[in-house]
Amino acid sequence: MGPGSPYEEYGELCGEDNSPCPDPNTFWEERRVVGPQLPHERELIDGKGQRGRDVNKFLRFANPLETSVDLPPDTEHYDLVVVFGETIVPESFEASLNRSDITDRFTVAPGGTAVVKLPLEPGRNKVVLSIDGERDDGRIATDTDQITFVVK
């Protein structure tokens, strides 16, 4: 590198292996987004059972990515991540954990995401979520999904 180079102080060879210094005029930068991601960019599952093209999209899940999850015996909590569809009716949302109402733990908004720390007990823990939304044809339908957590 010649006079005025940002590497001038290092001499012509600046790498530990005496490789030539890179030319600062030929640098490029590569960036990767590792998170957080927008809901439409991340992997989501739905609970199945309803119309896949619209109703199943009222409630989707970023965590877990299966409707049945086996967990280690010392598990006390699980972070459930629910992604709500754009056409939901927020006031229709209901949620239960082992038949106890947990609706008020969720912040529900069209296109929003709710992260809820679920308290789990040893054995089977069943979460049931339900919400109404507008289908593609303008009619209102209900998406009901169930996720089972088994603390072994």
Side-chain angles (χ1 to χ4, degrees):
M1 299 277 143
S5 164
Y7 301 101
E8 182 177 14
E9 66 185 276
Y10 299 108
E12 196 60 36
L13 300 175
C14 67
E16 283 184 25
D17 60 352
N18 288 330
S19 61
C21 295
D23 180 353
N25 296 321
T26 62
F27 279 29
W28 69 89
E29 186 174 316
E30 180 180 321
R31 295 180 186 208
R32 293 184 189 175
V33 176
V34 293
Q37 295 175 312
L38 296 171
H40 67 277
E41 295 176 331
R42 59 185 164 194
E43 184 178 355
L44 301 173
I45 65 158
D46 57 47
K48 309 287 184 228
Q50 289 88 38
R51 284 172 33 145
R53 70 176 186 255
D54 52 13
V55 179
N56 272 336
K57 292 179 175 49
F58 298 163
L59 290 172
R60 294 188 296 165
F61 305 93
N63 192 44
L65 293 175
E66 299 174 3
T67 57
S68 182
V69 181
D70 291 334
L71 298 166
D74 59 343
T75 304
E76 296 179 359
H77 296 93
Y78 190 91
D79 289 334
L80 177 67
V81 181
V82 181
V83 178
F84 297 99
E86 295 289 338
T87 63
I88 62 163
V89 179
E91 58 274 7
S92 69
F93 179 74
E94 294 179 352
S96 67
L97 171 60
N98 298 328
R99 298 187 184 197
S100 295
D101 186 12
I102 58 169
T103 303
D104 62 348
R105 292 177 181 243
F106 293 80
T107 300
V108 182
T113 300
V115 180
V116 175
K117 185 179 283 296
L118 298 174
L120 300 178
E121 301 171 356
R124 297 176 65 82
N125 295 267
K126 184 168 80 170
V127 177
V128 179
L129 304 150
S130 178
I131 198 163
D132 293 342
E134 186 177 333
R135 299 186 333 183
D136 294 342
D137 61 8
R139 300 170 102 183
I140 299 296
T142 303
D143 185 4
T144 302
D145 293 325
Q146 175 179 309
I147 298 179
T148 304
F149 299 94
V150 181
V151 180
K152 294 188 173 199

